[in-house]
DNA sequence: TTGTAAGCGTTATCAA
DNA sequence: TTGATAACGCTTACAA
């Protein structure tokens, strides 16, 4: 077992000082060619690599980005991470991921821990519980300590920092508008409870589309689900007595469960009822009928968040001006929607 | 902007020495109650938290685990991470994730970088390219430097370390045996190219099941796919001239594509043809017909890998004895398989 | 051209 | 009971 070699050891072996070794390896011209060659050869032979921890301590920067997300077993977050990783690596940063599991306490712990020297800044999407509690002291705390934070997807208006979101409302609007354009009139909405910011925004988009088209909002056609794990039964019960011609669901799972429930009730998708979901995941693509969705472009989101953060870390941006980047969604129409032309 | 406070600053403010502060905060009984109270109060007021980087340097351990995986947009890996995270956090470790994107070079870079002080040990699943090249010097290198490594899923026999795998071969065997038990006789296999270790093992399980049941292995019924991205077309073409009554696919994607292709060809699943896949992901559950699969228990795998690694890090295990943990798979039978009893 | 010393934030040893 | 000092591995201003 050959432990990693340090400057000190090289210095000792070669009978020079530590600073000489350090300088030689950096090709400083303070050092003679001879010594440089000698040192470099030796370093190479023993595969010397500087210790990151020591460098971090010295430079007071770690070159790592902390990501805190509610869950990882989730296609969308996974694509965001991919986007972050890509940009971060390109710019010489590493990425450390912590999961809040949607728990406020764990989010606080993670943030505090990582803020104590482990990372230079954060990219985060807050836990459901945090949105509910409306307690953001932990985030404001790290910001006030001078660590840049970029929020994405589930962002908090009250926290002042850079943000990357998609136009949830507009994405929902477009989807519902599309349904209306295909002559749908009785459009149900399956959403989450309102404290989940994206759920709320998507609900607003739905409502706005209806209003714009002079369709009255019928609260009977709106289902708000609290407990995602039992959404299937909820949705089934909900549909059992409804007369509808389309469904807009605020996530993939709800959309799939809607199709299943409707199929059970003897409805044909898309012939009897059209369905559009939000979030374009693996399931949407492979489902039969393949699911029409609002694509959130997670990777792009991650990439944008990472470059915003890194720009701040490298002081490429004015101290006080924070920006909220709104990324466009795009509507992907697949087989779960009955198109007007189809019926001709 | 209030920067994080350090021991030194506390010492200065309180006009005591740094070591006194350090000891006071650790409740050392060398220090008088009075000073302790004073120091603690001040520390609390300023929200003092020790700097992890300094601690890492001092203790020569970082309390973080490096995870290197080929990709993250992948349900299985995601569940493994979940399992690792869970155990790691419980034992006070953090987790830093790097993606190799299946590239040998990036795997080497990641490993080298993290090995220079950033982590205490590794949990890794090697890149496809690495398996192909059969070059494992980078892994052996970190091991020889005294950093424990635990490999999972895609492991390398030649590298001596702890490993966690599932019984790929046995899982495949069981799946195929199940098909045979349901009276299937012409069972096709959709696999990957052989250098992907798990693909090879699952293929072996398939073959063994046939042999055990005196069914001749028909190479015509075996498809090995190199380019996952275009698997759909390949599978379609493959099936067009085959007479089969069942399909065993080595992953979820292939299974789904098989069902799609067969459906296109006018076959009914499961009535005409039964399908079983490997890896139980989101798609399997929601697909219609829901997919029968060999469940890999990713979370369990991650948890096991993490505890093996942490045991090594904390010297709870004998230096030289490395173990390979073989986790059992479990067969989940859903609608994509026609059961014998169904036909009675 | 090389070396000394201080410092990044902590802890541990030893002396006062 | 408190404090000075060295050390973890590295960089850099300054001295020799």
């Amino acid at each position: 077992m050959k432990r990693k070699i340090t400057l000190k050891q090289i210095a000792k072996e070669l009978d020079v000082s530590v600073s000489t070794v350090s300088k030689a390896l950096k090709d400083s011209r303070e050092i003679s060619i001879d010594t440089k060659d000698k040192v470099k050869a030796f370093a190479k032979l023993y595969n010397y690599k500087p210790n990151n921890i020591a460098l971090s301590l010295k430079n007071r920067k770690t070159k790592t980005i902390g990501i805190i997300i509610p869950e990882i077993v989730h296609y969308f977050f996974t694509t965001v991470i991919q986007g972050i990783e890509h940009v971060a690596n390109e710019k010489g940063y590493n990425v450390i991921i912590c999961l809040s599991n949607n728990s406020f306490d764990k989010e606080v712990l993670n943030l505090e821990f990582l803020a104590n020297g482990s990372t230079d800044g954060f990219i985060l999407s807050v836990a459901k519980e945090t949105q509910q509690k409306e307690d953001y002291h932990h985030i404001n705390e790290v910001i006030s300590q001078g660590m840049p934070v970029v929020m994405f997807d589930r962002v908090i208006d009250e926290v002042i920092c850079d943000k990357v979101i998609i136009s949830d409302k507009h994405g929902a609007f477009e989807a519902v508008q599309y349904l209306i354009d295909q002559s749908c009139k009785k459009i149900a909405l399956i959403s989450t409870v309102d404290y989940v910011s994206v759920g709320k925004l998507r609900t607003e988009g739905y409502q706005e589309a209806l209003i714009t088209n002079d369709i009255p909002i019928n609260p009977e056609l709106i289902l708000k689900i609290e407990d995602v794990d039992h959404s299937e039964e909820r949705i089934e019960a909900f549909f059992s007595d409804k007369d509808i011609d389309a469904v807009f669901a605020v996530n993939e799972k709800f959309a799939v469960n809607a199709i299943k429930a409707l199929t059970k009730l003897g409805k044909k998708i898309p012939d009897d009822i059209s369905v559009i979901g939000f979030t374009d995941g693996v399931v949407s693509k492979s489902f039969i009928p393949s699911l029409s969705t609002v694509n959130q472009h997670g990777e792009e989101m991650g990439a944008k968040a990472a470059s915003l953060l890194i720009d701040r870390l490298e002081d490429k941006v004015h101290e006080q001006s924070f920006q909220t980047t709104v990324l466009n969604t795009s509507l992907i129409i697949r087989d779960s929607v009955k198109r007007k032309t189809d019926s001709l």
Side-chain angles (χ1 to χ4, degrees), chain A:
Chain A
M1 178 156 104
K2 37 166 193 176
R3 274 226 150 283
K4 290 207 82 69
I5 197 167
T6 67
L7 286 188
K8 205 180 187 178
Q9 293 166 46
I10 300 184
K12 195 171 168 194
E13 291 297 324
L14 261 37
D15 209 35
V16 291
S17 78
V18 177
S19 61
T20 303
V21 177
S22 172
K23 288 172 189 163
L25 289 175
K26 303 195 102 78
D27 221 4
S28 155
R29 73 192 105 125
E30 284 181 29
I31 306 296
S32 73
I33 308 259
D34 276 5
T35 350
K36 279 202 270 195
D37 286 350
K38 193 174 62 177
V39 171
K40 283 185 194 163
F42 193 90
K44 181 154 206 178
L45 182 63
Y46 283 90
N47 192 26
Y48 170 78
K49 296 268 161 53
N51 179 307
N52 299 322
I53 294 290
L55 287 179
S56 295
L57 187 59
K58 180 105 247 277
N59 304 330
R60 286 130 140 271
K61 52 176 76 160
T62 60
K63 283 277 193 172
T64 102
I65 294 175
I67 304 180
I68 300 182
I69 48 173
E71 42 184 332
I72 194 161
V73 185
H74 193 310
Y75 184 79
F76 171 66
F77 284 122
T78 257
T79 56
V80 175
I81 294 175
Q82 174 114 316
I84 296 174
E85 240 263 339
H86 189 104
V87 171
N89 280 194
E90 215 163 55
K91 306 207 174 170
Y93 285 77
N94 246 290
V95 149
I96 164 164
I97 299 178
C98 286
L99 311 180
S100 65
N101 285 318
N102 272 316
S103 140
F104 173 77
D105 290 336
K106 199 166 171 214
E107 187 176 281
V108 173
L109 247 51
N110 281 160
L111 208 59
E112 280 183 352
F113 180 81
L114 293 186
N116 292 312
S118 304
T119 59
D120 296 342
F122 291 98
I123 294 177
L124 68 89
S125 182
V126 301
K128 216 180 282 176
E129 221 184 63
T130 307
Q131 291 189 307
Q132 205 172 353
K133 282 183 108 125
E134 303 188 2
D135 181 346
Y136 319 125
H137 78 274
H138 52 306
I139 308 178
N140 285 321
E141 176 78 25
V142 303
I143 293 178
S144 83
Q145 284 166 3
M147 310 194 73
V149 168
V150 177
M151 290 186 150
F152 73 93
D153 194 51
R154 295 207 207 134
V155 305
I156 307 290
D157 289 339
E158 292 92 320
V159 174
I160 296 165
C161 64
D162 291 322
K163 287 159 197 158
V164 186
I165 52 174
I166 50 154
S167 42
D168 280 286
K169 191 168 164 181
H170 186 250
F173 182 96
E174 276 191 335
V176 176
Q177 181 65 54
Y178 186 89
L179 290 171
I180 295 173
D181 291 345
Q182 310 311 307
S183 314
C184 297
K185 298 210 156 40
K186 294 162 287 183
I187 306 171
L189 167 71
I190 306 181
S191 183
T192 56
V193 281
D194 271 347
Y195 62 76
V196 177
S197 59
V198 296
K200 192 175 172 195
L201 288 166
R202 291 169 198 171
T203 299
E204 286 171 18
Y206 160 86
Q207 293 171 327
E208 207 161 278
L210 295 184
I211 293 169
T212 309
N213 292 274
D214 294 321
I215 301 178
I217 294 170
N218 179 356
E220 298 262 300
L221 295 186
I222 298 179
L223 173 63
K224 296 196 178 177
I225 293 180
E226 166 94 40
D227 177 11
V228 182
D229 288 334
H230 297 92
S231 60
E232 207 163 338
E233 303 94 80
R234 286 293 317 276
I235 293 175
E236 237 179 279
F238 174 75
F239 280 142
S240 61
D241 61 344
K242 301 284 184 299
D243 170 32
I244 55 171
D245 53 19
V247 176
F248 173 58
V250 302
N251 61 43
E252 191 175 58
K253 190 165 191 178
F254 290 176
V256 164
N257 285 341
I259 295 186
K260 286 190 175 174
L262 292 168
T263 309
K264 264 197 199 166
L265 294 167
K267 306 289 184 188
K268 293 265 173 267
I269 316 294
D271 302 297
D272 301 334
I273 297 174
S274 289
V275 177
I276 299 187
F278 217 102
T279 307
D280 191 47
V282 241
V283 177
S284 300
K285 284 169 212 132
S286 34
F287 205 71
I288 304 177
S290 59
L291 225 83
S292 304
T293 58
V294 179
N295 185 354
Q296 286 181 91
H297 302 293
E299 191 154 354
E300 194 187 329
M301 197 156 191
K304 181 67 191 172
S307 53
L308 278 173
L309 185 70
I310 293 174
D311 280 354
R312 286 237 172 248
L313 290 175
E314 303 185 342
D315 289 323
K316 289 195 182 130
V317 77
H318 274 309
E319 180 105 2
Q320 299 298 1
S321 66
F322 292 97
Q323 59 169 292
T324 295
T325 306
V326 182
L327 261 28
N328 277 321
T329 56
S330 51
L331 195 56
I332 302 180
I333 295 300
R334 298 203 185 89
D335 300 341
S336 67
V337 169
K338 184 177 180 187
R339 297 181 224 195
K340 223 172 178 176
T341 48
D342 290 2
S343 54
L344 294 179

